[in-house]
């Protein structure tokens, strides 16, 4: 009966954190609106081979991540929940695999369950795992590959090892289908310290061809299909998306080498107090328990790899948190048995974090805060209250654990609960009216639906328009963004309108019907509107500006 109550509590906590908030938070542009729209277009067209975005070829990623989102939308319909469920599903399977590997390493059910719980409650995992991007999916395949490799490494028979390597290759192949060749490199890099330390090089060389074969077989059908349908896909995907993004001096999202260190630290909350000890004990015990070396390599090697790359995003190191959660869980169980003060320190860190964020929202970013830092407007008191509640919940749970850390320390897993329940209601209008176009599109929906042509100067906003209106014929004005490659095709050129050509384009096309131009205006409110022909009507909300041009013969 006690175990049943415990399982129910876990399921309720999971639902509150990972399922309930999905529908009620607006989609963010450019990421969430992009992935929502690509899958919607796949379902609408029936073409599951070639990704299209606003009806243009989109070769930035392979196809499996879109397929997962396709199935989600097919099952749950045209909703925000469906857009994000693929990420949640992937991160949940990653948590189950994390718990499985923890049990294989220590044969302790408590460590196994705690590893899954810690993984799901880490701030980095929760933030990215409920956000519609492909990183939760690539995390799933890397976790599956690392679990499969450990299965092979610990098998007692040649057949068992062969099976483990075949599963490793399948997971890597699925990763290639999700985000590219990086999925082949990361597992190799991650296992390298363990292979060298355990002197398993000969065994790896013997069985690795099986992994390569299964990876090839699982990815080959779509690879051939896309090459046949779009002969230049692989050239673009390899050189632009792999070489330029990660190595070129002009790579996207450039950041310094140390960029991921603060992300790892903050992302480990609410278990930050355990992090130094978990890493130290893992290193000290690498000889007695080879699994700890395996986990450390899985944390450190991908982290170094991404740190060396020119282009960086905080989502890239999400796979590092699965092994980190196992190390944290094993260390926490040891601390609970010895009554170490570290558990109390962890509670104190969470309390301090919650109070500082509470002070930041309620005293600095609020309308009554310093004018230089104010983020909320005078009419957004309720949003300030929601933000304060989110972090008051974090601080309250931390205080609860602090009063009896030896017995209550594991309740820290609920610290993100306030964020899950309240943060969607705490987003300031300044942010909504720049990054979440759904509300503005809903407000001007009649004007947009009556328009023959819709243009926008922002790809993310264009994706939001297409998703909300369920029409993909959005034109791009002045900025091509990530759709530049697709616009180079003959059939795509007409979908782009340069700034200097807009007046002539408008004069010609308004003869066919009404035209709507939705602009994301610069923060400094440049003279964008002054450079355009006078509109018949204008509607502005924050940085979103809708210009309407009535039809003229």
């Amino acid at each position: 009966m006690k175990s049943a109550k415990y399982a129910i509590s876990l399921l309720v906590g999971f639902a509150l954190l990972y399922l309930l908030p999905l529908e009620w938070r607006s989609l963010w542009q450019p990421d969430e609106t992009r992935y929502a729209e690509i899958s919607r277009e796949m379902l609408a067209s029936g073409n599951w081979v070639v990704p299209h975005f606003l009806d243009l070829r989109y070769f930035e990623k392979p196809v499996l991540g879109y397929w997962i989102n396709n199935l989600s939308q097919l099952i749950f319909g045209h909703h925000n929940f469906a857009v994000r469920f693929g990420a949640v599903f992937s991160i949940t399977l990653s948590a189950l695999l994390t718990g499985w590997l923890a049990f294989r390493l220590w044969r302790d059910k408590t460590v196994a369950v705690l590893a899954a719980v810690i993984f799901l409650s880490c701030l980095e995992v929760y933030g990215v795992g409920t956000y519609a991007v492909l990183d939760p999916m690539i995390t799933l395949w890397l976790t599956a590959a690392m679990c499969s490799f450990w299965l092979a490494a610990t098998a007692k028979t040649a057949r068992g090892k062969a099976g483990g390597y075949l599963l490793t290759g399948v997971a890597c192949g699925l990763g290639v289908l999700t985000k590219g060749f990086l999925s082949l490199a990361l597992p190799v890099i991650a296992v390298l310290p363990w292979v060298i330390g355990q002197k398993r090089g000969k065994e790896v060389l013997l069985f690795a061809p099986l992994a390569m074969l299964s990876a090839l077989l699982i990815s080959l059908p779509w690879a051939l299909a896309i090459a046949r349908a779009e002969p230049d896909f692989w050239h673009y995907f390899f050189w632009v998306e792999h070489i330029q993004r990660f190595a070129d001096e002009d790579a996207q999202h450039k950041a310094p080498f140390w960029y991921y260190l603060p992300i790892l630290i903050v992302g480990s909350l609410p278990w930050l107090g355990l992090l130094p000890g978990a890493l130290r004990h893992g290193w000290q015990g690498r000889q007695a328990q080879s699994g700890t070396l395996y986990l450390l390599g899985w944390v450190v090697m991908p982290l170094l790899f991404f740190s060396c790359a020119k282009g960086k995003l905080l989502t890239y190191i999400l796979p590092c948190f699965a092994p980190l959660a196992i190390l944290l869980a094993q260390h926490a169980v040891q601390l609970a048995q010895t009554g170490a003060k570290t558990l109390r320190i962890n509670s104190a860190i969470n309390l301090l974090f919650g109070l500082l964020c509470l002070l930041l929202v309620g005293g600095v970013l609020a309308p009554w805060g310093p004018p230089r830092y104010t983020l909320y407007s005078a009419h957004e008191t309720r949003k300030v209250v929601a933000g304060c509640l989110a972090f008051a919940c974090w601080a309250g749970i931390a205080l609860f654990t602090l009063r009896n850390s030896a017995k209550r320390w594991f309740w820290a897993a609920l610290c993100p609960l306030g964020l899950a329940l309240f943060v969607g209601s705490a987003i300031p209008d300044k942010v909504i009216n720049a990054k979440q176009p759904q509300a503005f599109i809903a407000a001007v929906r009649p004007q947009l639906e009556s328009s023959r042509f819709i243009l926008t100067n922002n790809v993310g906003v264009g994706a939001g328009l297409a998703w909300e209106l369920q029409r993909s014929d959005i034109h791009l004005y002045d900025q091509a963004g990530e759709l530049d490659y697709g616009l180079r095709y003959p059939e795509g050129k007409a979908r782009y309108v340069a700034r200097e050509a807009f007046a002539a384009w408008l004069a010609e096309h308004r003869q066919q019907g009404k035209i709507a131009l939705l602009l994301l205006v610069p923060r400094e409110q440049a003279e964008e509107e002054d450079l355009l022909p006078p509109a018949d009507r204008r509607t502005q909300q924050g940085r979103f500006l809708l210009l309407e041009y009535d039809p003229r013969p």
Side-chain angles (χ1 to χ4, degrees), residues 523-543:
R523 290 184 179 87
E524 60 273 12
Q525 192 67 34
E527 309 82 17
E528 180 69 41
E529 190 178 357
D530 297 336
L531 302 176
L532 294 166
D536 294 294
R537 284 170 302 280
R538 70 185 303 278
T539 307
Q540 184 163 11
Q541 186 172 300
R543 291 177 59 196

Side-chain angles (χ1 to χ4, degrees), residues 23-290:
E23 177 64 26
W24 313 117
R25 294 202 307 255
S26 295
L27 299 181
W28 293 80
Q29 67 90 4
D31 293 323
E32 292 194 305
T33 55
R34 175 202 303 129
Y35 292 118
E37 177 56 18
I38 291 174
S39 287
R40 188 198 69 81
E41 290 184 32
M42 275 192 164
L43 290 173
S45 67
N47 182 355
W48 286 43
V49 174
V50 183
H52 283 77
F53 183 16
L54 302 185
D55 275 344
L56 301 168
R57 292 170 177 83
Y58 189 72
F59 293 166
E60 289 206 1
K61 298 292 185 294
V63 77
L64 183 55
Y66 306 139
W67 287 352
I68 294 174
N69 290 334
N70 292 358
L71 293 173
S72 180
Q73 291 188 29
L74 196 62
I75 295 170
F76 299 109
H78 190 80
H79 303 288
N80 293 355
F81 182 94
V83 175
R84 296 179 171 124
F85 183 77
V88 171
F89 178 75
S90 300
I91 218 68
T92 303
L93 291 184
S94 298
L96 294 176
L97 288 171
T98 299
W100 176 87
L101 182 58
F103 183 77
R104 292 280 299 194
L105 289 171
W106 280 286
R107 300 294 174 178
D108 188 326
K109 291 182 179 179
T110 301
V111 173
V113 173
L114 186 60
V117 170
I118 287 178
F119 176 73
L120 288 171
S121 56
C122 280
L123 197 56
E124 166 86 355
V125 176
Y126 177 72
V128 181
T130 56
Y131 185 68
V133 287
L134 300 182
D135 298 275
M137 296 151 195
I138 201 65
T139 297
L140 169 60
W141 305 132
L142 178 57
T143 305
M146 296 299 289
C147 288
S148 299
F149 185 85
W150 186 256
L151 188 66
T154 55
K156 302 300 183 182
T157 65
R159 178 178 293 182
K161 290 184 180 297
Y165 275 90
L166 286 171
L167 286 176
T168 302
V170 169
C172 291
L174 293 173
V176 170
L177 289 176
T178 301
K179 212 170 182 182
F181 302 115
L182 189 65
S183 305
L184 299 176
L186 282 179
V188 174
I189 294 170
V191 304
L192 193 59
W194 183 87
V195 170
I196 295 174
Q198 295 295 306
K199 299 179 180 179
R200 296 286 195 97
K202 185 180 295 185
E203 176 185 307
V204 170
L205 291 176
L206 178 64
F207 287 97
L210 291 175
M212 296 169 62
L213 177 63
S214 59
L216 179 64
L217 291 177
I218 200 72
S219 56
L220 191 60
W222 178 79
L224 294 176
I226 189 69
R228 181 177 180 181
E230 300 292 342
D232 59 336
F233 173 87
W234 288 111
H235 176 269
Y236 172 85
F237 182 68
F238 179 77
W239 288 107
V240 176
E241 288 303 308
H242 284 75
I243 304 302
Q244 291 183 14
R245 173 162 292 193
F246 290 98
D248 279 8
E249 289 297 326
D250 60 346
Q252 295 179 345
H253 315 298
K254 291 180 67 174
F257 179 83
W258 50 264
Y259 173 81
Y260 288 114
L261 182 59
I263 293 174
L264 185 71
I265 293 172
V266 176
S268 299
L269 288 165
W271 311 102
L272 178 57
L274 310 182
L275 181 61
L279 294 175
R280 183 176 65 254
H281 282 85
W283 177 254
Q284 291 174 346
R286 69 190 186 279
Q287 299 294 340
Q289 168 57 278
S290 66

Side-chain angles (χ1 to χ4, degrees), residues 82 99 217 271 295 337 418 521:
L217 291 177
W271 311 102
L295 296 173
Q337 294 171 351
V521 297

Side-chain angles (χ1 to χ4, degrees), residues 327-351:
L327 290 169
L328 288 167
Q330 200 269 338
H331 183 53
V333 170
Q334 289 182 341
L335 292 175
Q337 294 171 351
T338 60
K341 294 182 179 179
T342 306
L343 296 174
R344 186 171 179 81
I345 294 173
N346 188 63
S347 298
I349 290 174
N350 284 324
L351 178 60

Side-chain angles (χ1 to χ4, degrees), residues 458-505:
N458 181 273
V459 174
V461 174
L465 285 164
W467 166 258
E468 288 297 316
L469 302 176
Q470 298 191 45
R471 54 181 289 185
S472 52
D473 60 335
I474 308 299
H475 287 59
L476 294 173
Y477 162 75
D478 187 45
Q479 297 182 33
E482 62 195 274
L483 288 173
D484 178 68
Y485 188 78
L487 290 167
R488 297 177 192 175
Y489 285 83
E491 63 271 28
K493 291 181 179 179
R495 299 287 298 282
Y496 176 77
V497 182
R499 181 199 300 253
E500 58 274 12
F502 180 72
W505 184 94

